[in-house]
Amino acid sequence: MDFCPFCCIFARNMKEVTVKDSKLQEAALEGMDQFIRVFTDGIRDAIGGELTAETMAELNSDQITLLAWEMLHDEVMDGGFVQLIHNGLGPFIFKNPFAKALRQWGMREPSKLIYDAHTLWLKYREEIEKDCTDEEFMALFEKFPEFDDLDDKFIENEEAWTDDIAHYIDDHLEKFATIA
C-alpha cells in the first residue's frame, strides 16, 4: 500500500458507512473481535472492499485508524512484525500517524510499541521487504530477533487492546458508522 498520510485526508465525499444493529447485537455476544469486525467490514463494504489512496479520501481518520489496527492485528498475530513488514504494510503503519491516533484514543502502550517497531523498520526494512523464497522468509525471523520482544508484547496484550478498541468504538459510534 502506498503512503498516504491520513492526517491530511479531508473527506469531501464521505462514504456513508452503515452497520445493522442486529449484526452489532450478535457480534457483541460473540466477543470484542467480532464487534470490531462488524465495523471494519462495514467500512470495507462502503469503499468497495479495498483500501487505496482514493478510497482513504472517502473515510475519516478514525475509520482509517480502525482499518490500520485490523491490518496490524491480523499480520502481527499471524507472523509478527517481520511478516507485516515483508508483506508491504510497513509504510502504511509506520509512515502514517497511526501510533499518534492510537495515543489519542487513550492507547499509550500499543502506540509506544508501534513507535518501537518503527525504529526497527527503519533499520531493517530494505532487507525484510525484499522478495524471497519461503525458506528465506522463515530465516528472517532468526535474522531479526529484535522483533521478538515486540511480537510477544503485542500477543500478551492483544486481548486487552482489542477490548480497548471495542470500547472506544462503542463510546464514539458516530465516528465509525451509522447504526441502522
Side-chain angles (χ1 to χ4, degrees):
M1 172 166 297
D2 291 336
F3 166 62
C4 182
F6 48 93
C7 66
C8 299
I9 304 264
F10 296 101
R12 288 162 279 193
N13 299 317
M14 184 71 85
K15 284 283 186 182
E16 181 66 31
V17 176
T18 304
V19 297
K20 292 186 177 187
D21 188 49
S22 59
K23 279 191 174 185
L24 276 181
Q25 298 298 328
E26 285 177 35
L29 294 173
E30 293 177 30
M32 296 302 173
D33 288 321
Q34 291 78 10
F35 178 80
I36 293 169
R37 189 71 62 184
V38 169
F39 287 93
T40 56
D41 287 350
I43 294 166
R44 285 189 187 286
D45 288 346
I47 59 171
E50 188 174 353
L51 186 63
T52 65
E54 291 77 31
T55 60
M56 282 176 66
E58 300 171 350
L59 301 173
N60 67 40
S61 61
D62 285 300
Q63 292 166 327
I64 297 167
T65 299
L66 184 58
L67 292 179
W69 168 261
E70 177 187 51
M71 291 176 204
L72 172 79
H73 177 273
D74 292 351
E75 290 290 329
V76 173
M77 292 302 290
D78 187 48
F81 281 98
V82 168
Q83 178 176 300
L84 177 138
I85 295 165
H86 180 74
N87 286 342
L89 291 173
F92 182 65
I93 296 298
F94 301 124
K95 281 188 167 183
N96 282 305
F98 174 55
K100 181 179 179 180
L102 287 180
R103 192 174 66 245
Q104 290 172 338
W105 286 10
M107 298 183 65
R108 290 194 176 280
E109 283 187 62
S111 174
K112 182 179 178 334
L113 183 76
I114 293 163
Y115 283 123
D116 291 345
H118 178 242
T119 300
L120 294 176
W121 173 70
L122 289 172
K123 187 174 180 180
Y124 300 120
R125 68 182 277 191
E126 287 183 28
E127 193 165 352
I128 295 173
E129 290 174 351
K130 287 181 186 175
D131 285 337
C132 60
T133 66
D134 288 343
E135 187 175 296
E136 291 168 329
F137 171 71
M138 294 309 290
L140 292 174
F141 294 97
E142 296 295 322
K143 190 169 188 173
F144 301 107
E146 295 96 327
F147 288 99
D148 290 349
D149 288 341
L150 301 178
D151 295 343
D152 291 346
K153 184 171 184 172
F154 188 92
I155 291 167
E156 290 167 8
N157 291 285
E158 180 271 337
E159 191 173 316
W161 292 344
T162 297
D163 189 65
D164 291 342
I165 296 277
H167 281 95
Y168 183 85
I169 294 168
D170 195 40
D171 291 342
H172 302 90
L173 290 171
E174 71 285 352
K175 294 181 177 186
F176 297 95
T178 300
I179 312 303

